[in-house]
Amino acid sequence: MSRSLKFLETDRRTVLRGGVAAAVAALGGGVLASCSSEGSPSGGGGGGGGGGGATVDLPTYQRFEGATPDFPAAAEGMNEGFRAYPSGPERMITDDLGDGEVISFMTNIPGAIPPTRDSNSFWQAVEERIGSPLEISMSSNDEYKDKFATRIAGGDIPDILNIPKDVAQLPDLLEATCLDLTEYLSGDAVLDYPFLANLPPQSWPDTRFNGKIFAVPVPRGMSRTSAPIYRQDLTEAAGISEANPGSFDEFMDLCAEMTAPGANRWAWASMPSQYIQQMWGTPYLWAEDGGAFTHMYETEEMLGAIEDMIAVWAAGVVNPDAYTATGGAKKQWLAAGTATFIHDSFVAWNQFYTDNPTITEMRLNMLDVPGRDGGQGSPWMGAANNNITAFNAETTHDPEVLLAIANWMAAPFGTEEYLFRKFGVEGEHYELTGTDPVPTALGSSEVGIGLQYISDAPMALYLPGRPDVPETQAAVQAAMVDRLVDDASYGLYSETKSRMNAQLEGAVNDAMNQVVQGNAGIETFTDAVETWRVNGGDAIRGELEEAYAAEHG
C-alpha cells in the first residue's frame, strides 16, 4: 500500500471512530440493549451481518473429526452428547501461539470475578501455554455494557474485544475500530485455522458486515434454546410420572398440582410467557413470507397467548414476586424447591447442578412444547452466538497471531486443549474421577477468566460425573429439533433496530406485563404495538426487507 493510500485509510478510520465515539457517548449505558448471561434466554436469534447488502464468501465449514459422541447430533443444529470425557485426550497444538508480548482482552464474566493474574495459577498456566501474557479486563454481566460503552467512547480499545451482538451502529463500530479479517477467514482461507473452520456455518453471518468479515463467532445455537427446565424429582414426588403436558389445559392442571402457596411453593419462578407463545406458534420475533416481515407482536396468535398468560397469572401458579425478583433469585427458588419450573436453556441446565452440588436429590428435565389445543408446539431456536470477537485495528500484534489464539480457544470437546481450557491443570484445578475432570475448590475459583468469549468450540452436552444428564438432554433436543423456529431477522442488519430495539420492545413488553397482571386492559398492549410501529417498528421492518432482498435477490 502506498504512503498516500495508507494515510487516506488512517484518516477515514479517524473520522469513523469519532462518529462512533460521539454516538456511544450520546447513548451512554443504552448503547447495548442487553448483555445476557450464559444460560439466560436472550432476545433475538441474531441480528448480525449483512449490513450494506454487499456479499462475501463466509468461511468454509470443515468438520473436525474428533471424539465419537455417545449421543450423535441426529439433525443439523443439535449438540453432540458425551457420557464421559474421552480418555487420553490428544494435544493438537504444540507450537507457541503468542509473540511474547502482552495481549489485552476485554470481556464480561457470568460468575464471580476470579483472582487476578498474580494470584491465579490457571491464568499463569494459560499464558505459559499460549506464549504471551494476557491482560484481561473483566466486568460482571450487569456492568459490562456500561464499561464497554465508556471504553469505546474513550478510544481505549484492547487487542481483543468481546462485542455483544446488540451494539448500536455495529457496522460503523467495526469499520472504525476493528481489523478486516476477510483475507484470513473468507472461503477456504479459514482452513489454516481448523478449529475455527469447525464452527457451525450458522454462526458466521453474525460476523459479516459491509462485504467484510470482522470477527470470529462464539457459537451457541441449540444449547441456548430455552424451554421450561423442571425439577423432575419434585414432580415424581408429587405422583406425576410423566410431566410433559399435551395441551394448554393439561399444562394448567400440572401447574395447579405443583402449587401450594401455604407451603411457600409455586409451580413457576417466572411467568412462562415464551412457553405459552410457543404453544400458540407465534413467530420468534420476526417471521418472513415472500420477503415481507411480520413481528410476533402483530399476530393474532400473540393476542391468544396473552389471554392465556392472564389466566396463568390469575390462577396463582406463578411466584407473586416473579415480576420484581432478579434472575438469580429465581434460580435460587428452583434450587430450593420453592419453584418447580423455570424457563431457561441447556447451558443453565448444567449450571444448576454445578452451582448446587449439595442438593444431591435434584434431577432436572425439560418440558417439550405442545400445541395450545393439542399436537405439537413450535419451540424457538437458540441464538446462534453468545457474542462475536473482533481485533483492534491498531493492535501491534500480527492478525495471524490473534487468529491462532482464537483457533486454540475453539479446540473442540475431546481434545487436550479443551480439557485444559475448561478445567485447568490436573491435580491443581481438577481431579480425575474415571476419565471425568471434577473441579477442585481452586479450579472453581480460578478457571473462569473469560477465555470462552475469545472463541469457543461448538457446545457439547456433557457434565462431569453425570452421564444421565447428557442422555436426557440429547433426548429433549431430538424431540424438538425438527420443529425449531428461527428468527427471520438473523443475519440481516437494521440500523434502526441496532439503535432503538431495546427501547421499542421494552415499551411493548412493559405494556404486556401490565395487562397480564391485571393492571390494564388488552387495549394497552394493542396501543403499545401501534406506537411501536410508528416510532420505529415499521422502519425496522423496511430495513429488514431491504436487507433480505439484497441478500436473496
Side-chain angles (χ1 to χ4, degrees):
M1 179 180 289
S2 70
R3 181 183 298 271
S4 60
L5 286 176
K6 188 168 185 177
F7 170 79
L8 288 172
E9 178 65 17
T10 301
D11 186 62
R12 177 174 176 271
R13 285 193 179 278
T14 302
V15 172
L16 278 169
R17 180 168 295 165
V20 171
V24 170
L27 288 167
V31 67
L32 303 181
S34 66
C35 184
S36 62
S37 63
E38 288 280 12
S40 301
S42 62
T55 60
V56 63
D57 288 338
L58 290 175
T60 299
Y61 175 65
Q62 182 172 278
R63 175 181 166 81
F64 176 77
E65 299 297 340
T68 301
D70 297 297
F71 308 105
E76 183 179 351
M78 284 182 61
N79 303 116
E80 295 179 338
F82 298 84
R83 294 183 183 275
Y85 206 84
S87 61
E90 182 180 357
R91 183 168 175 178
M92 307 303 297
I93 300 173
T94 57
D95 297 334
D96 282 344
L97 305 171
D99 52 15
E101 300 300 321
V102 174
I103 296 172
S104 55
F105 172 49
M106 178 182 182
T107 187
N108 62 299
I109 296 291
I113 301 296
T116 60
R117 177 202 288 126
D118 291 346
S119 55
N120 189 317
S121 60
F122 172 71
W123 194 330
Q124 295 167 20
V126 171
E127 293 179 334
E128 182 178 352
R129 178 72 72 94
I130 67 172
S132 274
L134 279 178
E135 180 183 283
I136 306 176
S137 175
M138 308 175 200
S139 304
S140 69
N141 286 324
D142 292 338
E143 297 174 337
Y144 188 62
K145 62 182 180 181
D146 293 327
K147 292 194 175 181
F148 181 92
T150 299
R151 289 190 64 170
I152 295 297
D156 181 16
I157 302 169
D159 297 306
I160 302 175
L161 182 61
N162 166 350
I163 304 180
K165 296 175 301 172
D166 46 11
V167 173
Q169 298 177 296
L170 183 54
D172 289 344
L173 172 65
L174 293 168
E175 287 273 14
T177 63
C178 300
L179 282 173
D180 176 2
L181 301 176
T182 307
E183 66 176 290
Y184 306 103
L185 297 176
S186 179
D188 289 349
V190 76
L191 300 180
D192 289 340
Y193 307 97
F195 297 146
L196 296 182
N198 181 57
L199 299 183
Q202 59 267 31
S203 291
W204 286 102
D206 259 344
T207 70
R208 177 188 61 192
F209 295 87
N210 299 335
K212 304 172 186 176
I213 298 173
F214 280 103
V216 296
V218 175
R220 291 298 180 261
M222 197 169 178
S223 64
R224 288 290 295 272
T225 292
S226 296
I229 293 174
Y230 70 97
R231 290 280 301 267
Q232 187 172 357
D233 57 304
L234 298 182
T235 58
E236 289 180 352
I240 301 170
S241 59
E242 177 57 56
N244 274 316
S247 66
F248 178 75
D249 288 342
E250 291 184 12
F251 165 74
M252 288 292 282
D253 291 341
L254 175 62
C255 293
E257 186 72 18
M258 298 309 300
T259 298
N264 193 36
R265 292 200 314 270
W266 288 267
W268 280 89
S270 56
M271 169 57 64
S273 304
Q274 294 181 22
Y275 188 57
I276 295 171
Q277 288 171 247
Q278 292 167 29
M279 288 188 199
W280 276 86
T282 63
Y284 181 16
L285 296 178
W286 288 96
E288 176 272 324
D289 184 12
F293 279 68
T294 302
H295 198 279
M296 65 182 184
Y297 294 152
E298 303 173 290
T299 63
E300 290 295 325
E301 288 83 2
M302 186 72 189
L303 295 177
I306 292 175
E307 185 176 343
D308 282 348
M309 292 177 212
I310 294 171
V312 168
W313 182 256
V317 297
V318 180
N319 188 298
D321 296 326
Y323 282 101
T324 56
T326 65
K330 295 172 188 178
K331 291 177 185 290
Q332 291 172 6
W333 296 342
L334 188 85
T338 57
T340 303
F341 302 95
I342 190 169
H343 203 277
D344 221 318
S345 72
F346 289 88
V347 177
W349 187 331
N350 279 18
Q351 199 66 40
F352 279 114
Y353 285 117
T354 56
D355 286 350
N356 301 283
T358 61
I359 308 177
T360 56
E361 71 276 14
M362 181 169 64
R363 286 185 295 112
L364 301 179
N365 209 324
M366 183 179 278
L367 296 183
D368 199 351
V369 184
R372 199 275 175 192
D373 297 313
Q376 294 182 317
S378 303
W380 295 342
M381 180 64 174
N385 299 311
N386 182 75
N387 62 283
I388 62 173
T389 299
F391 305 144
N392 186 350
E394 297 181 358
T395 182
T396 59
H397 301 281
D398 189 312
E400 293 183 348
V401 168
L402 301 181
L403 284 168
I405 291 172
N407 181 68
W408 181 80
M409 299 289 178
F413 184 92
T415 63
E416 188 276 343
E417 285 84 355
Y418 183 101
L419 181 63
F420 171 75
R421 196 174 70 249
K422 299 290 187 180
F423 296 97
V425 177
E426 183 183 359
E428 294 182 43
H429 304 103
Y430 71 88
E431 301 288 352
L432 285 179
T433 299
T435 61
D436 282 327
V438 178
T440 63
L442 182 67
S444 298
S445 169
E446 290 190 350
V447 170
I449 61 175
L451 301 183
Q452 72 270 32
Y453 302 132
I454 293 178
S455 186
D456 207 356
M459 281 279 188
L461 303 177
Y462 167 71
L463 188 62
R466 293 295 302 265
D468 57 308
V469 172
E471 182 174 9
T472 302
Q473 292 173 335
V476 171
Q477 288 200 356
M480 289 183 176
V481 67
D482 290 337
R483 294 179 283 126
L484 290 172
V485 175
D486 291 311
D487 171 14
S489 72
Y490 174 63
L492 304 174
Y493 182 72
S494 160
E495 176 67 18
T496 305
K497 182 180 178 184
S498 84
R499 291 185 292 104
M500 301 178 63
N501 199 59
Q503 302 95 304
L504 291 170
E505 291 193 354
V508 180
N509 291 336
D510 287 346
M512 180 178 71
N513 291 341
Q514 291 302 310
V515 173
V516 169
Q517 294 174 82
N519 300 326
I522 191 64
E523 68 279 356
T524 298
F525 174 77
T526 55
D527 288 348
V529 173
E530 184 58 32
T531 301
W532 166 85
R533 287 194 188 106
V534 172
N535 288 351
D538 283 340
I540 294 172
R541 185 198 328 279
E543 291 165 3
L544 292 175
E545 290 174 350
E546 182 179 352
Y548 181 88
E551 186 79 18
H552 295 275

